[in-house]
PDB file of all heavy atoms in Angstrom:
ATOM      1  N   MET B 432      16.173  18.654  10.004  1.00 46.00           N
ATOM      2  CA  MET B 432      16.272  17.202  10.156  1.00 46.00           C
ATOM      3  C   MET B 432      16.786  16.584   8.861  1.00 46.00           C
ATOM      4  O   MET B 432      16.135  16.685   7.825  1.00 46.00           O
ATOM      5  CB  MET B 432      14.922  16.588  10.498  1.00 46.00           C
ATOM      6  CG  MET B 432      14.976  15.059  10.579  1.00 46.00           C
ATOM      7  SD  MET B 432      13.368  14.315  10.782  1.00 46.00           S
ATOM      8  CE  MET B 432      13.261  14.362  12.547  1.00 46.00           C
ATOM      9  N   TYR B 433      17.929  15.969   8.922  1.00 53.00           N
ATOM     10  CA  TYR B 433      18.491  15.367   7.718  1.00 53.00           C
ATOM     11  C   TYR B 433      17.566  14.256   7.230  1.00 53.00           C
ATOM     12  O   TYR B 433      17.155  13.395   8.000  1.00 53.00           O
ATOM     13  CB  TYR B 433      19.884  14.814   8.009  1.00 53.00           C
ATOM     14  CG  TYR B 433      20.861  15.897   8.357  1.00 53.00           C
ATOM     15  CD1 TYR B 433      21.199  16.145   9.684  1.00 53.00           C
ATOM     16  CD2 TYR B 433      21.410  16.709   7.371  1.00 53.00           C
ATOM     17  CE1 TYR B 433      22.080  17.158  10.015  1.00 53.00           C
ATOM     18  CE2 TYR B 433      22.293  17.726   7.690  1.00 53.00           C
ATOM     19  CZ  TYR B 433      22.619  17.947   9.016  1.00 53.00           C
ATOM     20  OH  TYR B 433      23.480  18.957   9.347  1.00 53.00           O
ATOM     21  N   PRO B 434      17.228  14.257   5.953  1.00 60.00           N
ATOM     22  CA  PRO B 434      16.247  13.309   5.429  1.00 60.00           C
ATOM     23  C   PRO B 434      16.575  11.849   5.726  1.00 60.00           C
ATOM     24  O   PRO B 434      15.700  11.085   6.098  1.00 60.00           O
ATOM     25  CB  PRO B 434      16.285  13.585   3.916  1.00 60.00           C
ATOM     26  CG  PRO B 434      16.729  14.993   3.801  1.00 60.00           C
ATOM     27  CD  PRO B 434      17.694  15.197   4.924  1.00 60.00           C
ATOM     28  N   GLU B 435      17.837  11.462   5.570  1.00 68.00           N
ATOM     29  CA  GLU B 435      18.178  10.058   5.773  1.00 68.00           C
ATOM     30  C   GLU B 435      17.956   9.626   7.215  1.00 68.00           C
ATOM     31  O   GLU B 435      17.483   8.527   7.484  1.00 68.00           O
ATOM     32  CB  GLU B 435      19.643   9.808   5.362  1.00 68.00           C
ATOM     33  CG  GLU B 435      20.029   8.340   5.330  1.00 68.00           C
ATOM     34  CD  GLU B 435      19.194   7.532   4.355  1.00 68.00           C
ATOM     35  OE1 GLU B 435      18.782   8.079   3.310  1.00 68.00           O
ATOM     36  OE2 GLU B 435      18.940   6.345   4.653  1.00 68.00           O
ATOM     37  N   LYS B 436      18.270  10.489   8.176  1.00 72.00           N
ATOM     38  CA  LYS B 436      18.031  10.172   9.583  1.00 72.00           C
ATOM     39  C   LYS B 436      16.536  10.043   9.857  1.00 72.00           C
ATOM     40  O   LYS B 436      16.091   9.171  10.599  1.00 72.00           O
ATOM     41  CB  LYS B 436      18.629  11.261  10.481  1.00 72.00           C
ATOM     42  CG  LYS B 436      20.146  11.254  10.538  1.00 72.00           C
ATOM     43  CD  LYS B 436      20.663  10.030  11.264  1.00 72.00           C
ATOM     44  CE  LYS B 436      22.178  10.087  11.415  1.00 72.00           C
ATOM     45  NZ  LYS B 436      22.730   8.864  12.032  1.00 72.00           N
ATOM     46  N   CYS B 437      15.780  10.945   9.248  1.00 69.00           N
ATOM     47  CA  CYS B 437      14.329  10.902   9.411  1.00 69.00           C
ATOM     48  C   CYS B 437      13.782   9.579   8.876  1.00 69.00           C
ATOM     49  O   CYS B 437      12.960   8.926   9.514  1.00 69.00           O
ATOM     50  CB  CYS B 437      13.689  12.072   8.684  1.00 69.00           C
ATOM     51  SG  CYS B 437      11.897  12.121   8.791  1.00 69.00           S
ATOM     52  N   ARG B 438      14.235   9.215   7.685  1.00 70.00           N
ATOM     53  CA  ARG B 438      13.765   7.960   7.087  1.00 70.00           C
ATOM     54  C   ARG B 438      14.121   6.766   7.968  1.00 70.00           C
ATOM     55  O   ARG B 438      13.323   5.856   8.186  1.00 70.00           O
ATOM     56  CB  ARG B 438      14.381   7.773   5.699  1.00 70.00           C
ATOM     57  CG  ARG B 438      13.787   6.595   4.926  1.00 70.00           C
ATOM     58  CD  ARG B 438      14.698   6.119   3.826  1.00 70.00           C
ATOM     59  NE  ARG B 438      15.925   5.576   4.361  1.00 70.00           N
ATOM     60  CZ  ARG B 438      16.024   4.355   4.894  1.00 70.00           C
ATOM     61  NH1 ARG B 438      14.965   3.573   4.969  1.00 70.00           N
ATOM     62  NH2 ARG B 438      17.169   3.916   5.362  1.00 70.00           N
ATOM     63  N   GLN B 439      15.353   6.750   8.489  1.00 78.00           N
ATOM     64  CA  GLN B 439      15.782   5.645   9.346  1.00 78.00           C
ATOM     65  C   GLN B 439      14.916   5.547  10.595  1.00 78.00           C
ATOM     66  O   GLN B 439      14.515   4.457  11.005  1.00 78.00           O
ATOM     67  CB  GLN B 439      17.246   5.840   9.750  1.00 78.00           C
ATOM     68  CG  GLN B 439      18.242   5.550   8.647  1.00 78.00           C
ATOM     69  CD  GLN B 439      19.665   5.786   9.120  1.00 78.00           C
ATOM     70  OE1 GLN B 439      19.992   6.813   9.695  1.00 78.00           O
ATOM     71  NE2 GLN B 439      20.510   4.806   8.902  1.00 78.00           N
ATOM     72  N   TYR B 440      14.622   6.704  11.191  1.00 80.00           N
ATOM     73  CA  TYR B 440      13.831   6.700  12.423  1.00 80.00           C
ATOM     74  C   TYR B 440      12.453   6.078  12.177  1.00 80.00           C
ATOM     75  O   TYR B 440      12.019   5.183  12.916  1.00 80.00           O
ATOM     76  CB  TYR B 440      13.676   8.121  12.963  1.00 80.00           C
ATOM     77  CG  TYR B 440      12.764   8.193  14.159  1.00 80.00           C
ATOM     78  CD1 TYR B 440      13.228   7.875  15.435  1.00 80.00           C
ATOM     79  CD2 TYR B 440      11.431   8.559  14.018  1.00 80.00           C
ATOM     80  CE1 TYR B 440      12.389   7.926  16.530  1.00 80.00           C
ATOM     81  CE2 TYR B 440      10.588   8.606  15.112  1.00 80.00           C
ATOM     82  CZ  TYR B 440      11.069   8.294  16.368  1.00 80.00           C
ATOM     83  OH  TYR B 440      10.228   8.339  17.451  1.00 80.00           O
ATOM     84  N   TYR B 441      11.762   6.544  11.148  1.00 75.00           N
ATOM     85  CA  TYR B 441      10.416   6.047  10.901  1.00 75.00           C
ATOM     86  C   TYR B 441      10.423   4.610  10.392  1.00 75.00           C
ATOM     87  O   TYR B 441       9.471   3.861  10.619  1.00 75.00           O
ATOM     88  CB  TYR B 441       9.680   6.970   9.935  1.00 75.00           C
ATOM     89  CG  TYR B 441       9.236   8.244  10.614  1.00 75.00           C
ATOM     90  CD1 TYR B 441       9.924   9.435  10.419  1.00 75.00           C
ATOM     91  CD2 TYR B 441       8.160   8.237  11.485  1.00 75.00           C
ATOM     92  CE1 TYR B 441       9.530  10.598  11.059  1.00 75.00           C
ATOM     93  CE2 TYR B 441       7.770   9.391  12.133  1.00 75.00           C
ATOM     94  CZ  TYR B 441       8.451  10.570  11.921  1.00 75.00           C
ATOM     95  OH  TYR B 441       8.067  11.710  12.564  1.00 75.00           O
ATOM     96  N   ASP B 442      11.476   4.226   9.726  1.00 79.00           N
ATOM     97  CA  ASP B 442      11.599   2.835   9.311  1.00 79.00           C
ATOM     98  C   ASP B 442      11.661   1.924  10.531  1.00 79.00           C
ATOM     99  O   ASP B 442      11.063   0.850  10.554  1.00 79.00           O
ATOM    100  CB  ASP B 442      12.858   2.642   8.456  1.00 79.00           C
ATOM    101  CG  ASP B 442      12.998   1.209   7.976  1.00 79.00           C
ATOM    102  OD1 ASP B 442      12.278   0.838   7.032  1.00 79.00           O
ATOM    103  OD2 ASP B 442      13.810   0.464   8.550  1.00 79.00           O
ATOM    104  N   ILE B 443      12.350   2.374  11.567  1.00 84.00           N
ATOM    105  CA  ILE B 443      12.503   1.561  12.781  1.00 84.00           C
ATOM    106  C   ILE B 443      11.230   1.549  13.605  1.00 84.00           C
ATOM    107  O   ILE B 443      10.711   0.497  13.977  1.00 84.00           O
ATOM    108  CB  ILE B 443      13.683   2.070  13.631  1.00 84.00           C
ATOM    109  CG1 ILE B 443      14.998   1.864  12.870  1.00 84.00           C
ATOM    110  CG2 ILE B 443      13.742   1.350  14.976  1.00 84.00           C
ATOM    111  CD1 ILE B 443      16.183   2.606  13.472  1.00 84.00           C
ATOM    112  N   VAL B 444      10.694   2.747  13.905  1.00 79.00           N
ATOM    113  CA  VAL B 444       9.578   2.823  14.855  1.00 79.00           C
ATOM    114  C   VAL B 444       8.231   2.493  14.215  1.00 79.00           C
ATOM    115  O   VAL B 444       7.240   2.326  14.929  1.00 79.00           O
ATOM    116  CB  VAL B 444       9.501   4.208  15.533  1.00 79.00           C
ATOM    117  CG1 VAL B 444      10.770   4.503  16.287  1.00 79.00           C
ATOM    118  CG2 VAL B 444       9.200   5.306  14.520  1.00 79.00           C
ATOM    119  N   ILE B 445       8.191   2.392  12.867  1.00 77.00           N
ATOM    120  CA  ILE B 445       6.917   2.027  12.219  1.00 77.00           C
ATOM    121  C   ILE B 445       7.048   0.704  11.478  1.00 77.00           C
ATOM    122  O   ILE B 445       6.463  -0.301  11.864  1.00 77.00           O
ATOM    123  CB  ILE B 445       6.436   3.135  11.271  1.00 77.00           C
ATOM    124  CG1 ILE B 445       6.167   4.425  12.075  1.00 77.00           C
ATOM    125  CG2 ILE B 445       5.154   2.705  10.569  1.00 77.00           C
ATOM    126  CD1 ILE B 445       5.705   5.581  11.230  1.00 77.00           C
ATOM    127  N   ARG B 446       7.860   0.686  10.398  1.00 77.00           N
ATOM    128  CA  ARG B 446       7.899  -0.535   9.577  1.00 77.00           C
ATOM    129  C   ARG B 446       8.447  -1.720  10.345  1.00 77.00           C
ATOM    130  O   ARG B 446       7.848  -2.804  10.364  1.00 77.00           O
ATOM    131  CB  ARG B 446       8.731  -0.300   8.310  1.00 77.00           C
ATOM    132  CG  ARG B 446       8.638  -1.463   7.312  1.00 77.00           C
ATOM    133  CD  ARG B 446       9.644  -1.321   6.191  1.00 77.00           C
ATOM    134  NE  ARG B 446      11.004  -1.390   6.665  1.00 77.00           N
ATOM    135  CZ  ARG B 446      11.636  -2.530   6.970  1.00 77.00           C
ATOM    136  NH1 ARG B 446      11.004  -3.688   6.865  1.00 77.00           N
ATOM    137  NH2 ARG B 446      12.878  -2.514   7.389  1.00 77.00           N
ATOM    138  N   GLN B 447       9.624  -1.551  10.968  1.00 83.00           N
ATOM    139  CA  GLN B 447      10.216  -2.677  11.692  1.00 83.00           C
ATOM    140  C   GLN B 447       9.348  -3.099  12.877  1.00 83.00           C
ATOM    141  O   GLN B 447       9.261  -4.286  13.206  1.00 83.00           O
ATOM    142  CB  GLN B 447      11.627  -2.317  12.157  1.00 83.00           C
ATOM    143  CG  GLN B 447      12.637  -2.203  11.028  1.00 83.00           C
ATOM    144  CD  GLN B 447      14.055  -2.069  11.533  1.00 83.00           C
ATOM    145  OE1 GLN B 447      14.447  -2.705  12.506  1.00 83.00           O
ATOM    146  NE2 GLN B 447      14.836  -1.225  10.875  1.00 83.00           N
ATOM    147  N   LEU B 448       8.716  -2.120  13.521  1.00 82.00           N
ATOM    148  CA  LEU B 448       7.842  -2.453  14.643  1.00 82.00           C
ATOM    149  C   LEU B 448       6.672  -3.311  14.174  1.00 82.00           C
ATOM    150  O   LEU B 448       6.332  -4.312  14.809  1.00 82.00           O
ATOM    151  CB  LEU B 448       7.323  -1.172  15.305  1.00 82.00           C
ATOM    152  CG  LEU B 448       6.319  -1.365  16.449  1.00 82.00           C
ATOM    153  CD1 LEU B 448       6.942  -2.183  17.570  1.00 82.00           C
ATOM    154  CD2 LEU B 448       5.833  -0.027  16.979  1.00 82.00           C
ATOM    155  N   TYR B 449       6.048  -2.950  13.041  1.00 75.00           N
ATOM    156  CA  TYR B 449       4.952  -3.747  12.497  1.00 75.00           C
ATOM    157  C   TYR B 449       5.434  -5.152  12.148  1.00 75.00           C
ATOM    158  O   TYR B 449       4.788  -6.146  12.436  1.00 75.00           O
ATOM    159  CB  TYR B 449       4.392  -3.079  11.239  1.00 75.00           C
ATOM    160  CG  TYR B 449       3.298  -2.084  11.515  1.00 75.00           C
ATOM    161  CD1 TYR B 449       3.564  -0.882  12.167  1.00 75.00           C
ATOM    162  CD2 TYR B 449       1.996  -2.324  11.123  1.00 75.00           C
ATOM    163  CE1 TYR B 449       2.569   0.042  12.413  1.00 75.00           C
ATOM    164  CE2 TYR B 449       0.985  -1.409  11.363  1.00 75.00           C
ATOM    165  CZ  TYR B 449       1.284  -0.227  12.013  1.00 75.00           C
ATOM    166  OH  TYR B 449       0.296   0.686  12.251  1.00 75.00           O
ATOM    167  N   GLU B 450       6.577  -5.208  11.508  1.00 78.00           N
ATOM    168  CA  GLU B 450       7.132  -6.484  11.065  1.00 78.00           C
ATOM    169  C   GLU B 450       7.402  -7.416  12.238  1.00 78.00           C
ATOM    170  O   GLU B 450       7.052  -8.594  12.227  1.00 78.00           O
ATOM    171  CB  GLU B 450       8.416  -6.217  10.287  1.00 78.00           C
ATOM    172  CG  GLU B 450       9.061  -7.443   9.698  1.00 78.00           C
ATOM    173  CD  GLU B 450      10.324  -7.084   8.947  1.00 78.00           C
ATOM    174  OE1 GLU B 450      11.388  -7.066   9.585  1.00 78.00           O
ATOM    175  OE2 GLU B 450      10.244  -6.802   7.737  1.00 78.00           O
ATOM    176  N   LYS B 451       8.003  -6.864  13.285  1.00 83.00           N
ATOM    177  CA  LYS B 451       8.369  -7.683  14.440  1.00 83.00           C
ATOM    178  C   LYS B 451       7.149  -8.023  15.299  1.00 83.00           C
ATOM    179  O   LYS B 451       7.102  -9.081  15.934  1.00 83.00           O
ATOM    180  CB  LYS B 451       9.431  -6.955  15.262  1.00 83.00           C
ATOM    181  CG  LYS B 451      10.744  -6.770  14.497  1.00 83.00           C
ATOM    182  CD  LYS B 451      11.772  -6.001  15.291  1.00 83.00           C
ATOM    183  CE  LYS B 451      12.983  -5.656  14.430  1.00 83.00           C
ATOM    184  NZ  LYS B 451      13.636  -6.853  13.872  1.00 83.00           N
ATOM    185  N   THR B 452       6.152  -7.149  15.309  1.00 79.00           N
ATOM    186  CA  THR B 452       4.923  -7.458  16.040  1.00 79.00           C
ATOM    187  C   THR B 452       4.211  -8.640  15.402  1.00 79.00           C
ATOM    188  O   THR B 452       3.676  -9.511  16.102  1.00 79.00           O
ATOM    189  CB  THR B 452       3.990  -6.236  16.064  1.00 79.00           C
ATOM    190  OG1 THR B 452       4.669  -5.146  16.697  1.00 79.00           O
ATOM    191  CG2 THR B 452       2.723  -6.530  16.838  1.00 79.00           C
ATOM    192  N   ALA B 453       4.208  -8.699  14.084  1.00 74.00           N
ATOM    193  CA  ALA B 453       3.604  -9.837  13.388  1.00 74.00           C
ATOM    194  C   ALA B 453       4.359 -11.122  13.700  1.00 74.00           C
ATOM    195  O   ALA B 453       3.761 -12.196  13.794  1.00 74.00           O
ATOM    196  CB  ALA B 453       3.591  -9.591  11.884  1.00 74.00           C
ATOM    197  N   LYS B 454       5.659 -11.009  13.880  1.00 80.00           N
ATOM    198  CA  LYS B 454       6.469 -12.186  14.203  1.00 80.00           C
ATOM    199  C   LYS B 454       6.075 -12.786  15.545  1.00 80.00           C
ATOM    200  O   LYS B 454       6.189 -13.992  15.756  1.00 80.00           O
ATOM    201  CB  LYS B 454       7.955 -11.802  14.202  1.00 80.00           C
ATOM    202  CG  LYS B 454       8.912 -12.989  14.275  1.00 80.00           C
ATOM    203  CD  LYS B 454      10.354 -12.511  14.165  1.00 80.00           C
ATOM    204  CE  LYS B 454      11.315 -13.698  14.271  1.00 80.00           C
ATOM    205  NZ  LYS B 454      12.726 -13.265  14.192  1.00 80.00           N
ATOM    206  N   LEU B 455       5.589 -11.947  16.459  1.00 81.00           N
ATOM    207  CA  LEU B 455       5.120 -12.451  17.749  1.00 81.00           C
ATOM    208  C   LEU B 455       3.983 -13.448  17.576  1.00 81.00           C
ATOM    209  O   LEU B 455       3.846 -14.401  18.350  1.00 81.00           O
ATOM    210  CB  LEU B 455       4.644 -11.291  18.634  1.00 81.00           C
ATOM    211  CG  LEU B 455       5.713 -10.352  19.206  1.00 81.00           C
ATOM    212  CD1 LEU B 455       5.047  -9.171  19.902  1.00 81.00           C
ATOM    213  CD2 LEU B 455       6.634 -11.090  20.179  1.00 81.00           C
ATOM    214  N   ASP B 456       3.156 -13.226  16.539  1.00 72.00           N
ATOM    215  CA  ASP B 456       2.009 -14.101  16.300  1.00 72.00           C
ATOM    216  C   ASP B 456       2.390 -15.381  15.575  1.00 72.00           C
ATOM    217  O   ASP B 456       1.693 -16.392  15.696  1.00 72.00           O
ATOM    218  CB  ASP B 456       0.943 -13.367  15.472  1.00 72.00           C
ATOM    219  CG  ASP B 456       0.414 -12.140  16.192  1.00 72.00           C
ATOM    220  OD1 ASP B 456       0.439 -12.148  17.435  1.00 72.00           O
ATOM    221  OD2 ASP B 456      -0.009 -11.196  15.514  1.00 72.00           O
TER     222      ASP B 456
END
Side-chain angles (χ1 to χ4, degrees):
M432 176 187 272
Y433 295 101
E435 189 60 33
K436 288 291 185 184
C437 179
R438 188 201 65 78
Q439 286 179 311
Y440 175 81
Y441 285 103
D442 181 77
I443 295 167
V444 300
I445 298 179
R446 189 190 64 79
Q447 290 189 39
L448 176 60
Y449 271 69
E450 183 180 89
K451 296 178 188 301
T452 301
K454 190 176 179 181
L455 289 173
D456 299 332

